[in-house]
Amino acid sequence: MQELLKTQRISIAVLIVGLLLLVGLMVRQAPKSPFTMEATEMLAHMPDFEHVTVAMADKMKTDTNNYIFVDLRSPYDFEVKHIDNAINIPTAFILDDEHISTFNRYLENNIIVVLYGQSERESISPWILLTEVGYSNVKVLLGGFDCYDGDITKCNPESAQYDYAKISISGALKSDSNAVTAPVKKKKKAIPVKKKKKREAEGGC
Amino acid sequence: MQKRYIFLAILFIAMASGLLFLPDMKEKSQIPVDVFLNDIHSNNRHLTSDEIAKRIINGDPMVFLVDVRTVEEYDNYSLPGSINIPLKDILLDDWAGYLDQDIVDVIFYSNDDILSEQAWALCKQLGFKNLYVLDGGLNTWFETIMLPKEPGELASTAAFDLFSFRTGASIYFGSGSTAVAVEAKPVKKKTIPVKKKAKREAEGGC
Amino acid sequence: MGPLTFNDIISTEWNYVIALLIGLAFGYILEASGFSSSRKLVGVFYGYDFVVIRVFITAVSVAMITLLYLDYLGFLDFSMLYVVPTYINAQVVGSIIMGIGFLMGGFCPGTSLTAVAIGKIDGMVFTGGIWLGIFGFSEAYPYIEDFNNSGYLGNVTIMDYFGINAYTFAFGFAVFAIIAFTVASKIRKNIKEIQY
Amino acid sequence: MEAKNIKFRHVYWNPYFGGLMLGLLIAATFYVTGRGVGATGGTKATVVKIVDVVAPEHTENQEFYSKYVDEDKNPMKNWLVFETLGILIGAFLSGSIKGRVNFRIQHSPKITSKTRLIFALAGGLFFGVGSQLARGCTSGAALSGSTVLSLAGFITMIGIFGTAYLFAYFFRKLWI
């Protein structure tokens, strides 16, 4: 078994590789991205988030030990009118260092942060962003400040306020006074499910 | 000699098992967080119903409407030429070819603009381009386009112009009261997925 | 971030130089490990010399682990590496043919080239055989095209196909390698040494 | 003969060292080029080139060749051809350093040189056909393929070695 000789070489080579790996692991920087959640995870968890209704908000706003309202609107709008005990952090500045430390403090103290904008929509993207960077204690005020302020039409925004199908069909029927043709039919498109091609297939050798 | 081999084997297994214990440091797929925040803050993603109606009527091939509501709601009513991607499916690979491209303008809509805003935020953070949201969703669409309100006597000419446009549009989209039947023409859609970096153009070694 | 030539870190003009250098190192390592000797190669099937198994499995395992580490450390995008497309029917038949060819010829294409380089006449004849084989295949291509392209699965990897984690698989392969080496040296001890 | 054998029998590298080096080389190849090493590809390119020179129309009409021949595409100007050249040079370097370069036919004492050559030719033929079917030979498909965990690589690897073990008995005269 003379081939067993010269094992020093392997040991040295393996050790060099091992060392390189160690150096690599140490040099390796943690990814800069502060995101702790992938978009897909966020999407999967979205139904779990319970939004804050105005009725709940009325109780919460006095309970400052457990809840804090964050007004995402401009300082001007905030000055004009805001929810009691709310703090003002315009959307553009939510990731500023001072606000991040504020959010961190709330997270540590288990204080629920309720975001609101003028409409509910304004708080949606900030909520997604904050949740994804790790603030699981952030919630959204249903209907936004409009609803809180008494505009009940804004309180349930995603409900259909018109009978879409009926309006478009009745409209079409009316327009089609001779009643020769059927109501305008929308064309539904069959969308072929197309997977993105991952790899160009080209012959081996 | 044999000892040295055992040592090497142990070293080798240790290196291999190191892979198993690596902490999860996978790169996230999101765009940098400040870019994303900037996108959130700038409001140019919101298109009004008038703008979109105008573009559809003009046969703008760049308009690509995506209904993010449920299948039932979509079947009940949807805008002409729109496709249905329920919000829960929005990130499936099947749709990446439609959403991750830089040819057409993808316009999300739902009953209001909450679901569509969520769809926008989820897709935007992955770096997809040309994403828009129908301002106010279908509710505003019906309020303005399908059932336009006549402005008061004292309103400006612009308001009347807008009203006449909306009346025309409502006919186009199958509502309104005049006797002109207009076929709702679905917009032609073209989707060419964004070309990813040349992956493996090289022919395989052997 | 690798692969370098794909990400335009190295321009394509350097491709051929790189190819030459890689080939050089490849040829050198194969020859130095003894792959230019057909009797040494075939020894693996008769138990008198396990050099093929040892080199081959060590190489696959080391390369796999290194690439996975590189990928993890962010130097390389593992998903951009070329994956041989799978044509399951053609590949099974092809590899069976190659297995028999290995026993008859005592080389595989890469090693036969190293044999040619050091003047082995059987290596040259073998290379000539490969040549004729490819030529024959190309001429017969229209008749076997359907079979050649049957069973296409795309550029699938083990991870895609079996749904196992790459790291787990690499670890399993490393364990398998160590077991294979131990078994090989056990067998080797019990088999009469052969002069070649 | 015997003396010569002894002289260069054990000057080969330790197989594990060779494997380690080969593994690192393959990893480096993937790192630099995004694909693995190969051996049959170069040979194929020469085949295509020769056919192209001898019968240009034939290459155009025949689908298998036309993939590799184009107006401005020279089959010889191929990554793999240069790599093959490199293999030849590299092996020659190693061989000449260790004094292994000489013209000879290596075969088992039980068979004649002629038998050896006939079987070598047959083996080459098999490999030529097999490598085309399998999209790669031992180095391209099995070695580089399994490194990136491709299914095809493992199929080829298991296929080649499995078959060889199964049929080894029938060819024992050639080797032992």
Side-chain angles (χ1 to χ4, degrees):
Chain A
M1 291 245 124
Q2 289 174 50
E3 63 179 33
L4 290 188
L5 291 166
K6 297 184 186 164
T7 39
Q8 287 106 317
R9 266 203 300 199
I10 329 178
S11 308
I12 293 166
V14 169
L15 284 177
I16 290 174
V17 173
L19 271 178
L20 280 178
L21 267 178
L22 271 181
V23 170
L25 280 172
M26 286 197 272
V27 172
R28 162 92 164 125
Q29 288 169 333
K32 290 240 176 57
S33 168
F35 284 105
T36 56
M37 245 176 162
E38 287 284 350
T40 42
E41 293 168 62
M42 180 68 205
L43 179 59
H45 285 123
M46 250 188 234
D48 305 342
F49 284 94
E50 193 196 356
H51 291 336
V52 175
T53 61
V54 170
M56 286 156 78
D58 278 329
K59 279 180 216 140
M60 288 172 182
K61 66 183 177 189
T62 51
D63 187 2
T64 47
N65 288 328
N66 292 314
Y67 301 96
I68 181 78
F69 284 82
V70 171
D71 193 320
L72 296 167
R73 301 172 303 159
S74 67
Y76 174 79
D77 291 333
F78 181 75
E79 280 309 314
V80 174
K81 201 171 186 189
H82 60 86
I83 297 181
D84 303 338
N85 298 329
I87 59 165
N88 180 223
I89 306 177
T91 307
F93 307 116
I94 51 172
L95 291 183
D96 284 6
D97 291 342
E98 47 169 325
H99 301 311
I100 283 292
S101 58
T102 317
F103 283 127
N104 282 336
R105 207 174 59 236
Y106 294 145
L107 184 64
E108 279 156 24
N109 297 330
N110 290 324
I111 296 177
I112 304 286
V113 175
V114 183
L115 298 178
Y116 71 92
Q118 191 65 36
S119 64
E120 183 184 330
R121 182 189 76 197
E122 287 174 22
S123 55
I124 291 295
S125 293
W127 162 62
I128 288 178
L129 176 58
L130 286 172
T131 309
E132 282 178 339
V133 296
Y135 298 105
S136 51
N137 57 334
V138 175
K139 289 183 187 297
V140 161
L141 178 61
L142 266 181
F145 190 69
D146 282 337
C147 171
Y148 179 85
D149 206 23
D151 186 351
I152 45 163
T153 60
K154 300 284 170 64
C155 287
N156 199 358
E158 272 301 331
S159 66
Q161 279 162 20
Y162 302 89
D163 191 342
Y164 304 137
K166 207 172 153 203
I167 289 173
S168 55
I169 288 172
S170 69
L173 274 176
K174 236 194 287 168
S175 67
D176 214 355
S177 50
N178 296 330
V180 187
T181 48
V184 176
K185 241 190 182 168
K186 296 172 284 95
K187 242 190 224 163
K188 287 275 155 67
K189 281 186 196 167
I191 301 292
V193 175
K194 204 167 61 181
K195 287 255 177 194
K196 245 197 203 173
K197 220 170 150 194
K198 262 178 94 184
R199 292 165 181 131
E200 291 270 326
E202 208 184 309
C205 56
Chain B
M1 276 310 137
Q2 211 57 19
K3 254 186 213 154
R4 189 166 266 149
Y5 274 121
I6 290 167
F7 167 71
L8 280 175
I10 291 169
L11 202 67
F12 182 60
I13 290 288
M15 267 164 75
S17 56
L19 284 172
L20 297 178
F21 302 115
L22 291 176
D24 183 26
M25 291 215 297
K26 275 278 162 217
E27 297 281 345
K28 295 285 172 196
S29 44
Q30 280 104 337
I31 56 174
V33 72
D34 49 332
V35 178
F36 183 40
L37 180 61
N38 206 17
D39 288 330
I40 291 174
H41 177 58
S42 70
N43 262 335
N44 51 18
R45 63 179 174 278
H46 296 113
L47 300 180
T48 65
S49 47
D50 292 319
E51 267 176 88
I52 293 172
K54 210 171 277 176
R55 290 176 65 175
I56 296 176
I57 293 169
N58 292 338
D60 187 343
M62 309 298 259
V63 174
F64 182 59
L65 290 160
V66 175
D67 191 329
V68 298
R69 301 173 302 160
T70 58
V71 180
E72 294 81 49
E73 284 176 293
Y74 175 80
D75 285 341
N76 183 37
Y77 177 78
S78 67
L79 292 179
S82 61
I83 70 160
N84 181 222
I85 309 178
L87 182 64
K88 63 177 171 45
D89 299 336
I90 198 102
L91 295 177
L92 295 185
D93 278 348
D94 304 348
W95 304 111
Y98 290 95
L99 302 175
D100 186 10
Q101 44 75 44
D102 56 2
I103 310 292
V104 295
D105 293 342
V106 175
I107 302 164
F108 295 115
Y109 74 87
S110 55
N111 284 341
D112 200 297
D113 46 20
I114 309 296
L115 291 183
S116 42
E117 178 84 6
Q118 291 174 2
W120 176 88
L122 290 170
C123 292
K124 191 70 191 176
Q125 64 182 271
L126 297 176
F128 297 0
K129 295 189 192 77
N130 301 341
L131 302 178
Y132 298 91
V133 170
L134 169 57
D135 207 2
L138 284 177
N139 285 336
T140 307
W141 179 269
F142 271 77
E143 198 180 305
T144 55
I145 304 293
M146 302 298 265
L147 304 166
K149 285 191 192 64
E150 201 167 346
E153 304 250 321
L154 297 172
S156 66
T157 13
F160 277 102
D161 285 348
L162 183 61
F163 175 68
S164 65
F165 163 72
R166 284 175 173 178
T167 324
S170 72
I171 297 164
Y172 182 92
F173 290 109
S175 175
S177 50
T178 31
V180 195
V182 187
E183 277 250 351
K185 268 185 262 161
V187 253
K188 266 229 158 155
K189 75 164 177 36
K190 251 190 285 169
T191 28
I192 299 138
V194 173
K195 267 252 169 87
K196 291 275 166 184
K197 266 181 272 176
K199 278 198 177 178
R200 306 197 178 87
E201 19 67 315
E203 110 191 29
C206 168
Chain C
M1 182 94 166
L4 300 181
T5 39
F6 274 28
N7 293 335
D8 295 329
I9 297 169
I10 295 179
S11 70
T12 40
E13 289 99 66
W14 284 93
N15 252 345
Y16 298 130
V17 180
I18 293 167
L20 200 70
L21 290 176
I22 287 170
L24 218 138
F26 189 45
Y28 193 97
I29 293 170
L30 285 185
E31 215 288 330
S33 307
F35 275 28
S36 58
S37 159
S38 56
R39 289 195 74 197
K40 199 171 169 62
L41 286 174
V42 177
V44 69
F45 303 119
Y46 300 99
Y48 63 81
D49 196 328
F50 280 100
V51 69
V52 172
I53 285 282
R54 285 173 179 162
V55 172
F56 195 94
I57 292 183
T58 318
V60 170
S61 200
V62 166
M64 197 189 285
I65 292 170
T66 315
L67 285 177
L68 287 173
Y69 268 112
L70 283 177
D71 175 58
Y72 178 77
L73 296 175
F75 295 114
L76 178 82
D77 187 354
F78 198 80
S79 64
M80 272 176 71
L81 303 178
Y82 177 81
V83 170
V84 189
T86 307
Y87 296 84
I88 198 143
N89 300 349
Q91 248 142 9
V92 167
V93 173
S95 55
I96 287 173
I97 293 175
M98 282 197 279
I100 297 170
F102 203 161
L103 284 174
M104 297 202 294
F107 286 118
C108 57
T111 57
S112 77
L113 288 171
T114 64
V116 170
I118 62 160
K120 290 249 171 79
I121 293 158
D122 45 347
M124 295 175 196
V125 174
F126 186 91
T127 315
I130 300 178
W131 242 59
L132 288 177
I134 296 179
F135 179 69
F137 179 87
S138 316
E139 290 304 315
Y141 187 69
Y143 309 105
I144 49 175
E145 191 179 350
D146 286 340
F147 177 71
N148 189 43
N149 295 331
S150 62
Y152 180 63
L153 297 179
N155 303 57
V156 283
T157 60
I158 293 277
M159 295 94 87
D160 300 335
Y161 196 76
F162 294 108
I164 355 171
N165 183 301
Y167 296 156
T168 321
F169 187 84
F171 176 69
F173 196 80
V175 173
F176 162 76
I178 298 293
I179 293 170
F181 297 151
T182 323
V183 172
S185 45
K186 285 263 156 60
I187 295 173
R188 174 76 176 75
K189 268 184 200 146
N190 297 329
I191 283 189
K192 178 170 71 89
E193 202 146 339
I194 283 185
Q195 296 293 321
Y196 51 88
Chain D
M1 195 71 193
E2 208 62 49
K4 211 189 267 173
N5 271 342
I6 285 163
K7 199 180 84 198
F8 51 72
R9 193 190 317 151
H10 285 305
V11 289
Y12 293 125
W13 283 358
N14 181 304
Y16 301 113
F17 181 71
L20 180 69
M21 287 293 125
L22 191 55
L24 292 179
L25 173 74
I26 292 169
T29 311
F30 271 110
Y31 179 61
V32 176
T33 66
R35 53 135 162 237
V37 289
T40 357
T43 323
K44 178 155 93 183
T46 51
V47 172
V48 176
K49 180 68 186 173
I50 289 171
V51 176
D52 191 32
V53 169
V54 175
E57 292 106 56
H58 186 59
T59 45
E60 263 168 52
N61 301 333
Q62 227 269 27
E63 205 189 321
F64 192 74
Y65 297 121
S66 56
K67 270 195 285 188
Y68 302 95
V69 187
D70 256 335
E71 293 279 304
D72 51 347
K73 202 162 127 193
N74 186 343
M76 289 304 278
K77 220 176 162 205
N78 183 315
W79 199 89
L80 288 162
V81 175
F82 283 83
E83 204 214 311
T84 311
L85 251 150
I87 294 178
L88 289 173
I89 301 170
F92 181 76
L93 275 178
S94 160
S96 50
I97 289 170
K98 296 283 161 64
R100 281 193 283 259
V101 182
N102 59 348
F103 285 100
R104 69 194 195 98
I105 300 168
Q106 190 188 30
H107 60 86
S108 162
K110 287 176 194 156
I111 54 168
T112 59
S113 293
K114 203 173 150 198
T115 326
R116 167 73 187 121
L117 291 186
I118 289 169
F119 272 100
L121 187 73
L125 259 166
F126 272 59
F127 249 107
V129 174
S131 67
Q132 295 313 300
L133 275 173
R135 272 83 181 167
C137 56
T138 6
S139 26
L143 194 61
S144 310
S146 16
T147 299
V148 288
L149 300 164
S150 71
L151 184 62
F154 283 96
I155 291 175
T156 321
M157 182 157 92
I158 294 167
I160 293 178
F161 286 101
T163 320
Y165 271 110
L166 279 181
F167 291 97
Y169 180 79
F170 305 106
F171 294 96
R172 66 190 184 283
K173 287 251 170 62
L174 288 175
W175 305 108
I176 316 185

